[in-house]
Amino acid sequence: MPNRVDALMSQIHALEHDLAAEISRQRSGFRFGLEHGRARFEEEARRRLEERRTHLLKYIFRAPVLYVLSAPVIYSLMLPFALVDLWVSLYQAICFRVYGIPQVPRGRYMIFDRTGLPYLNAIEKLNCAYCSYVNGVIAYVREVSARTEQYWCPIKHTRRLMGAHGRYAGFGDFGDGEAYHEALAAARLALRKADED
């Protein structure tokens, strides 16, 4: 008989599926389709969207001074994020193979589709690409670290963990030393099986 945590996790997955379906349904009114994985707007829709684009010079000259001055601080994070991306990719390429942990497909986390929106100017597209990359790196690193934790230390904490990753609910209970080794083996098996699904 499934326990309450398993039942709640099933409900969460069902709600995530429903949410994705609802977002897709709402998106259908924007008159675009996917062609080779890229959004293609109908010609009339594209023309109307391009009319909404703010001219680049107007965008720059209307920007608050503090926004312009803070931009180098924001973009200075690109180097640390690129180094983390590279290092985590190297880490999983070596360590995950050694331990038999399924590789995290990096490409699933790097989505740069917003740069093709016709109503964005060049700076807005650059900003969207930056945000897509940084948030993609964070999601990618989170999944790599979640798989690492599931393999090495699948034990819940004593206190409520804010923003716990999706694998956390399946971890063993804190203080349950009797079931620890069985829970560890089960977590590792589940990790390998999840990749097969």
Side-chain angles (χ1 to χ4, degrees):
M1 182 164 114
N3 65 28
R4 177 93 171 115
V5 171
D6 291 338
L8 289 171
M9 287 303 297
S10 292
Q11 288 177 350
I12 288 170
H13 291 306
L15 287 171
E16 287 173 345
H17 178 75
D18 290 349
L19 177 61
E22 180 61 21
I23 289 171
S24 180
R25 187 190 65 73
Q26 289 178 3
R27 188 181 321 166
S28 65
F30 291 114
R31 297 173 49 190
F32 73 88
L34 290 178
E35 193 174 293
H36 305 292
R38 297 188 70 170
R40 297 281 183 223
F41 287 91
E42 294 174 8
E43 195 57 42
E44 177 61 20
R46 173 173 278 293
R47 186 191 59 73
R48 284 203 333 263
L49 291 171
E50 285 173 349
E51 289 172 358
R52 297 190 172 277
R53 183 180 330 161
T54 304
H55 190 273
L56 193 57
L57 291 177
K58 186 186 289 187
Y59 182 84
I60 292 169
F61 288 117
R62 285 187 178 172
V65 174
L66 291 177
Y67 285 21
V68 175
L69 294 175
S70 67
V73 177
I74 292 171
Y75 280 98
S76 71
L77 286 172
M78 191 56 138
L79 180 61
F81 273 100
L83 287 172
V84 167
D85 184 11
L86 178 66
W87 197 257
V88 168
S89 295
L90 183 63
Y91 159 77
Q92 83 155 344
I94 296 168
C95 297
F96 278 23
R97 283 187 174 93
V98 170
Y99 306 126
I101 300 172
Q103 298 277 307
V104 176
R106 181 183 172 280
R108 294 173 111 186
Y109 298 90
M110 303 297 161
I111 301 172
F112 297 96
D113 55 353
R114 295 182 290 199
T115 58
L117 290 169
Y119 53 87
L120 299 179
N121 62 41
I123 292 176
E124 291 169 320
K125 288 180 181 189
L126 178 66
N127 290 341
C128 281
Y130 172 84
C131 290
S132 294
Y133 178 71
V134 168
N135 283 290
V137 169
I138 290 169
Y140 167 65
V141 169
R142 180 179 175 95
E143 180 58 20
V144 169
S145 65
R147 290 183 186 198
T148 302
E149 185 177 27
Q150 183 173 345
Y151 189 85
W152 287 109
C153 192
I155 302 169
K156 292 182 180 107
H157 294 280
T158 56
R159 295 189 327 231
R160 182 171 178 250
L161 181 63
M162 298 304 296
H165 55 73
R167 298 175 177 280
Y168 183 76
F171 288 7
D173 291 321
F174 184 91
D176 190 0
E178 292 179 20
Y180 169 68
H181 291 290
E182 293 81 15
L184 180 63
R188 288 179 177 179
L189 181 63
L191 183 59
R192 289 188 178 110
K193 280 188 157 188
D195 192 51
E196 296 168 4
D197 295 339

